[in-house]
Amino acid sequence: MAQIPIITEASTTPSPKVITLRIARYNPQHDSNKKFMEFNIPYERWTTVLEAILEVKKYFDHSVAVRYSCRQATCGSCGMIINGKPRLACFTKISELNSNVVTVEPMNNFPVIRDLAVKFERLFNTHHKVKPYLIHDDSEITTDSKEFLQSPKELEKYIQFSNCIKCGLCNSACPTMATDSLFVGPQALAQAYRYVADSRDKGKDTRLKIIDESHGIWRCHFAGSCSQVCPKGVDPAMGIQLLRGYMLGFRS
Amino acid sequence: MTNQDEHKEGIGGMINPRRYGIERVAYLLMRLSGLGLLAYFIGHIYETSSILKGQIGWNEFLELTQTNEGHIILAIVIAMCVFHTVNGIRVMLGQGGVGVGKPARPDYPYIPASQNVRHKMGIYSAIILAAIAMMYGLAVMFGE
């Protein structure tokens, strides 16, 4: 384990608080086990975990692998396990963790590329599998009205689920994903609901058929962990249960 | 791909109840009580099959359930049965889309509507009812 001293600034400025940032290091190509490196990082009330990791990359160890982009919880790139729970690093302030030690690890249930970066192929494949687009005989271009009209009430039925940023935190928290690699997962199921509930879409039967399989919707046991970790308030657990309501005939 | 390659949490992660609130505790208890009731069901079939050995064989086997250990096991079975039933009704209703809230534009801090008070009350009720039933069973069995 590397113990690296903190960076000290000019003596005139008050010394900021310091946390120990533990970063999981693992390269599947030549490491047999995950190791942790520790860094002492100064932080302010507004410092995010991502900023602390970037501080490490800037001053201590540039080789730490982390995926990030927007830094404002929009791109869904920086999902990781922070102090045991899946969170977005850019959306998690160190001060709200209430701990002097912050441990960051790659998301569970995703193959690791290196350190904190994971592969998203499976998530994108399952997302694609549920046909995440409007299925309609006409198109907005060919119809006379040039648009599909929709009332605010109809919009309310699915707008929450269209907030998904595909960060994968829900799949990382899901207890079924922990043991079943073939499970479609809460992200894709919530997106299936998003389009099934859309009044402009005509692909309900197609989608319900896709998820009605042994590793499909029936493997969800309503533990609700996906909804608890969602950084955008999508509530995949609700979408999945409402979707199952369609399949069981409780909804039409 | 091995578990390590896929970086799956595995059964250890699946049964860890500490990170995601009472819903994940209920998830674990539901699985444990289900497995426990399955084990009891198999044991019960074996127990009742002892009647084929005649009345003496039946009485000998039945005496096993009259011991302190037998009483404690039966009390646990009662608790598992009550919890699995009450929580099972909650989960079945939820899985049909009943009581999971209505979709709406989410506002920060994004408290999930599906994890609402009704479901939490259902979980606590299942636990409390299971505890009461177990204590009642213990009182009846040890009060003979």
Side-chain angles (χ1 to χ4, degrees):
Chain A
M1 286 190 188
Q3 187 67 41
I4 294 166
I6 61 164
I7 305 163
T8 50
E9 291 181 6
S11 56
T12 50
T13 57
S15 59
K17 289 181 276 185
V18 175
I19 48 123
T20 302
L21 182 66
R22 297 177 73 235
I23 301 180
R25 306 300 306 269
Y26 174 61
N27 186 338
Q29 287 184 340
H30 50 74
D31 293 340
S32 56
N33 282 311
K34 190 163 57 180
K35 291 173 187 163
F36 285 91
M37 287 184 82
E38 293 186 1
F39 304 91
N40 291 330
I41 304 291
Y43 74 98
E44 301 288 351
R45 193 161 49 88
W46 51 83
T47 307
T48 65
V49 174
L50 180 63
E51 285 166 346
I53 294 167
L54 294 179
E55 188 93 347
V56 169
K57 280 179 74 70
K58 196 171 177 183
Y59 294 109
F60 303 131
D61 189 345
H62 184 67
S63 69
V64 172
V66 58
R67 184 191 283 122
Y68 69 98
S69 181
C70 72
R71 308 181 192 211
Q72 55 181 5
T74 301
C75 71
S77 302
C78 63
M80 59 186 73
I81 304 290
I82 301 172
N83 282 3
K85 281 181 84 171
R87 305 175 213 249
L88 288 182
C90 70
F91 200 46
T92 306
K93 289 201 283 280
I94 290 170
S95 55
E96 68 192 21
L97 292 171
N98 296 320
S99 173
N100 291 328
V101 179
V102 175
T103 304
V104 290
E105 299 165 84
M107 278 197 293
N108 294 316
N109 312 328
F110 286 85
V112 177
I113 299 171
R114 191 159 64 83
D115 301 338
L116 304 172
V118 294
K119 290 180 186 168
F120 270 84
E121 277 89 344
R122 188 174 296 148
L123 181 133
F124 293 143
N125 286 340
T126 52
H127 178 68
H128 184 69
K129 189 178 171 184
V130 300
K131 299 183 186 292
Y133 42 82
L134 291 179
I135 298 173
H136 202 283
D137 295 336
D138 304 324
S139 78
E140 288 171 305
I141 298 166
T142 56
T143 51
D144 293 337
S145 61
K146 303 285 185 191
E147 60 186 346
F148 295 134
L149 295 176
Q150 195 164 51
S151 70
K153 201 176 172 185
E154 287 169 330
L155 182 72
E156 287 283 310
K157 286 184 180 172
Y158 72 85
I159 190 72
Q160 173 176 9
F161 302 94
S162 62
N163 282 355
C164 177
I165 56 172
K166 289 110 197 145
C167 60
L169 297 187
C170 51
N171 283 13
S172 180
C174 174
T176 305
M177 293 292 293
T179 51
D180 183 0
S181 311
L182 301 175
F183 179 46
V184 180
Q187 188 277 334
L189 290 170
Q191 290 312 291
Y193 176 76
R194 179 253 175 273
Y195 287 95
V196 165
D198 192 323
S199 60
R200 299 167 296 175
D201 184 77
K202 303 295 175 200
K204 186 175 98 174
D205 294 341
T206 312
R207 286 198 193 84
L208 295 188
K209 203 174 281 179
I210 290 168
I211 57 174
D212 184 13
E213 49 139 5
S214 56
H215 297 282
I217 194 167
W218 308 111
R219 295 236 49 200
C220 168
H221 300 294
F222 194 23
S225 310
C226 50
S227 298
Q228 291 182 23
V229 299
C230 180
K232 303 301 281 184
V234 170
D235 201 349
M238 182 207 279
I240 297 168
Q241 310 326 313
L242 294 176
L243 194 58
R244 199 152 25 196
Y246 281 110
M247 303 184 80
L248 294 170
F250 295 157
R251 305 171 75 85
S252 57
Chain B
M1 267 194 175
T2 64
N3 256 11
Q4 192 178 2
D5 292 338
E6 295 196 42
H7 196 237
K8 281 197 299 188
E9 275 198 294
I11 291 175
M14 187 187 89
I15 63 172
N16 183 353
R18 290 177 298 175
R19 294 169 294 175
Y20 303 108
I22 192 69
E23 290 82 3
R24 197 66 176 255
V25 174
Y27 172 85
L28 172 66
L29 289 176
M30 196 68 177
R31 256 117 220 97
L32 289 177
S33 58
L35 288 172
L37 289 172
L38 178 67
Y40 174 76
F41 180 63
I42 293 166
H44 183 65
I45 291 170
Y46 179 72
E47 179 200 15
T48 49
S49 70
S50 65
I51 201 163
L52 296 172
K53 296 173 189 167
Q55 192 174 357
I56 295 168
W58 170 256
N59 287 338
E60 276 179 3
F61 205 96
L62 210 61
E63 276 174 20
L64 287 175
T65 61
Q66 305 303 316
T67 60
N68 285 347
E69 293 82 5
H71 286 163
I72 289 167
I73 288 170
L74 284 176
I76 293 169
V77 169
I78 291 169
M80 288 193 299
C81 193
V82 172
F83 178 82
H84 206 80
T85 305
V86 178
N87 192 53
I89 291 168
R90 176 191 74 84
V91 171
M92 276 197 293
L93 288 171
Q95 294 192 343
V98 179
V100 293
K102 278 185 177 175
R105 288 176 193 271
D107 287 321
Y108 190 81
Y110 305 135
I111 295 164
S114 64
Q115 319 287 292
N116 57 41
V117 175
R118 279 173 291 184
H119 277 281
K120 287 187 198 301
M121 278 175 63
I123 294 168
Y124 285 118
S125 302
I127 294 171
I128 291 167
L129 284 173
I132 291 170
M134 187 171 78
M135 285 189 285
Y136 179 73
L138 284 170
V140 169
M141 286 185 281
F142 284 104
E144 286 172 350

